[in-house]
Amino acid sequence: MFFDTLQQQTRDAREHLMRAPVLAAIPEGRFNLDSYRYFLSQAYHHVKHTVPLMMACGARLPVRLEWVREALVEYIRDEYGHQEWILNDLAALGADAEAVRHGEPDRPIELMVAWLYDAIERGNPMAFFGMVHVLEGTSIALATPLGEQVQHTLGLPKQAFSYLYSHGALDQEHFRFFTDLMNRIEAPQDREAVIHASRMVYRLYGDMLHAVPVAAERNAPEVAHG
């Protein structure tokens, strides 16, 4: 099945992401408010492009992939507006959500989003699903358990975790849907487009995670002030 091949062919790139210091810092209690604010600010700047990227992908798909366009309609309904959840979480942390809304991402996310638009427009629009593979797969593995650890460690209110908690549960259903979708792909050029995009997104999203600031030593619980 192609999904298994996709997992195997992207293992090295996935390991780069999993080596991000932040993933070790969370269970060690070295993830602080600055860490979480940075992560959410970068998440906002890629999540706000999820629906536009899906629309761009759907517009470029050939007739032979009409069944993929149909699947995108369902994805769009599920994903629309999630960037606002992130801004709400930032506001619950006492961060300036509007400054994030009108700001710019750091280089890894800017490059990741730009690369995906370009791959869809100039290459094979199926490249979009490389992003889905990375972000939803990572979310399932990390979002809910890490969110719970962070909430406990930092003593933060649950309303500061709407993005992480919702995606941990929601993406399990999405990932089953995604796996079935990938296993229907037969054309070699479509499979290669998904594999190549997955490797690229693992690298760039991984670079963002590597840039998340963490404390050198375990900190006492912090409290966010509005």
Side-chain angles (χ1 to χ4, degrees):
M1 303 293 270
F2 174 57
F3 179 77
D4 294 332
T5 301
L6 176 61
Q7 291 284 79
Q8 293 163 5
Q9 293 291 317
T10 58
R11 183 177 293 116
D12 288 349
R14 185 163 56 252
E15 287 176 358
H16 166 69
L17 183 153
M18 297 303 295
R19 287 194 298 268
V22 65
L23 300 183
I26 291 172
E28 293 171 1
R30 296 186 292 107
F31 188 92
N32 56 29
L33 276 177
D34 288 339
S35 310
Y36 191 37
R37 287 169 177 154
Y38 179 84
F39 171 78
L40 288 176
S41 70
Q42 298 307 300
Y44 172 79
H45 287 293
H46 69 77
V47 171
K48 73 179 181 181
H49 288 283
T50 301
V51 168
L53 283 166
M54 284 191 277
M55 290 177 167
C57 173
R60 293 271 294 123
L61 288 172
V63 173
R64 66 181 176 81
L65 293 173
E66 186 64 33
W67 55 275
V68 178
R69 189 164 17 241
E70 180 182 4
L72 283 169
V73 172
E74 184 172 338
Y75 266 123
I76 288 170
R77 288 197 190 105
D78 284 347
E79 294 292 335
Y80 186 79
H82 288 192
Q83 70 272 16
E84 295 299 321
W85 299 356
I86 298 173
L87 294 181
N88 292 340
D89 289 347
L90 282 162
L93 296 174
D96 187 343
E98 289 305 302
V100 173
R101 185 195 299 276
H102 298 293
E104 299 291 337
D106 281 355
R107 187 175 299 166
I109 295 301
E110 183 167 2
L111 290 174
M112 183 182 88
V113 170
W115 187 89
L116 286 162
Y117 277 116
D118 187 68
I120 289 168
E121 179 63 29
R122 293 196 308 116
N124 187 324
M126 291 296 285
F128 167 76
F129 290 97
M131 183 186 80
V132 179
H133 177 226
V134 173
L135 298 186
E136 293 199 347
T138 303
S139 181
I140 288 171
L142 301 175
T144 299
L146 293 189
E148 290 171 349
Q149 277 190 310
V150 170
Q151 183 183 1
H152 175 74
T153 300
L154 299 183
L156 296 171
K158 189 173 182 179
Q159 60 262 37
F161 292 87
S162 58
Y163 172 68
L164 278 183
Y165 285 166
S166 64
H167 277 70
L170 183 63
D171 287 346
Q172 290 186 30
E173 179 181 342
H174 281 180
F175 208 66
R176 286 191 293 270
F177 184 71
F178 171 77
T179 301
D180 292 342
L181 199 69
M182 292 299 96
N183 284 335
R184 290 182 63 185
I185 298 175
E186 296 180 353
Q189 68 269 27
D190 297 335
R191 291 183 170 195
E192 182 53 37
V194 178
I195 290 170
H196 180 58
S198 293
R199 288 171 175 156
M200 185 66 72
V201 175
Y202 267 129
R203 181 71 204 191
L204 292 170
Y205 189 72
D207 286 349
M208 183 277 287
L209 290 180
H210 277 261
V212 175
V214 296
E217 297 179 357
R218 184 185 183 93
N219 291 324
E222 302 179 53
V223 178
H225 299 285

